[in-house]
Amino acid sequence: MNPAAAPAPVSDNDSTGSSLLRPERPQKWRRRFSVRPETVRLARLHARMRFAMMAWPGDQENATQVVVELMKNAIEHVGPQPPEVQLVLDLLVAADETLLIAVTDPSPTFPDFLTAITAQKSTGLAAIRELGGETTWRLSDDGDTKTVQVLIRHPSPAADSQ
């Protein structure tokens, strides 16, 4: 397992001249997890803590729920795996506070992706859409794994004040 990354550095210089401390961007975090049902709970706890440490200003509860849905889907759809096979959870906060959540799993296929993200029934990817996430997926360069990623755009401060 990788050791947890140190908290992000902060800067007291921003474009408005404010002396408020702001986390530097972009900020990335990665963690590997075994493919087991209890991994969902562990990923939820790590993600919740990481969103707070990254000081991401978006809806952290919704973002945590996105992590839960992605991890549940990965575990359900790749099935039982040997202990050395792992899921990779990546979190990235961009300079504009956009959040990217990505889960890489050992299955290079994603049958019926469009049906899954547009489903009107309660599926994991439909729930992610309801939480404001934009879901895509891609194969790794070697074709051995896939990454399902969700982009969550944080509204601008001007939109927050209206």
Side-chain angles (χ1 to χ4, degrees):
M1 245 185 260
N2 295 341
V10 292
S11 170
D12 61 1
N13 298 323
D14 70 7
S15 61
T16 65
S18 170
S19 62
L20 296 175
L21 294 178
R22 296 182 187 261
E24 292 196 12
R25 301 288 192 235
Q27 236 180 91
K28 296 190 294 186
W29 179 79
R30 171 176 277 187
R31 171 108 194 225
R32 295 178 184 280
F33 295 92
S34 58
V35 184
R36 300 182 317 207
E38 56 271 19
T39 290
V40 175
R41 183 178 148 295
L42 185 60
R44 180 180 54 80
L45 293 171
H46 279 280
R48 181 176 286 163
M49 178 184 67
R50 188 52 55 180
F51 293 138
M53 291 177 73
M54 291 173 141
W56 183 62
D59 188 324
Q60 294 182 14
E61 286 301 314
N62 281 355
T64 301
Q65 189 58 40
V66 168
V67 169
V68 166
E69 294 297 337
L70 287 176
M71 296 298 280
K72 281 187 343 190
N73 280 353
I75 290 168
E76 177 183 335
H77 294 290
V78 302
Q81 298 290 319
E84 65 275 5
V85 175
Q86 297 185 324
L87 301 174
V88 178
L89 172 62
D90 287 296
L91 305 176
L92 171 80
V93 180
D96 67 354
E97 301 298 348
T98 297
L99 174 65
L100 179 69
I101 302 169
V103 174
T104 302
D105 69 50
S107 173
T109 63
F110 201 136
D112 299 324
F113 172 74
L114 290 177
T115 301
I117 65 169
T118 59
Q120 298 304 312
K121 59 183 180 172
S122 57
T123 64
L125 295 182
I128 288 171
R129 184 186 68 236
E130 293 297 316
L131 293 169
E134 301 169 26
T135 307
T136 58
W137 75 282
R138 61 182 167 75
L139 283 175
S140 62
D141 291 339
D142 62 11
D144 290 341
T145 63
K146 77 170 170 297
T147 300
V148 178
Q149 50 193 29
V150 175
L151 193 66
I152 301 174
R153 299 181 196 283
H154 179 66
S156 68
D160 289 344
S161 64
Q162 294 179 2

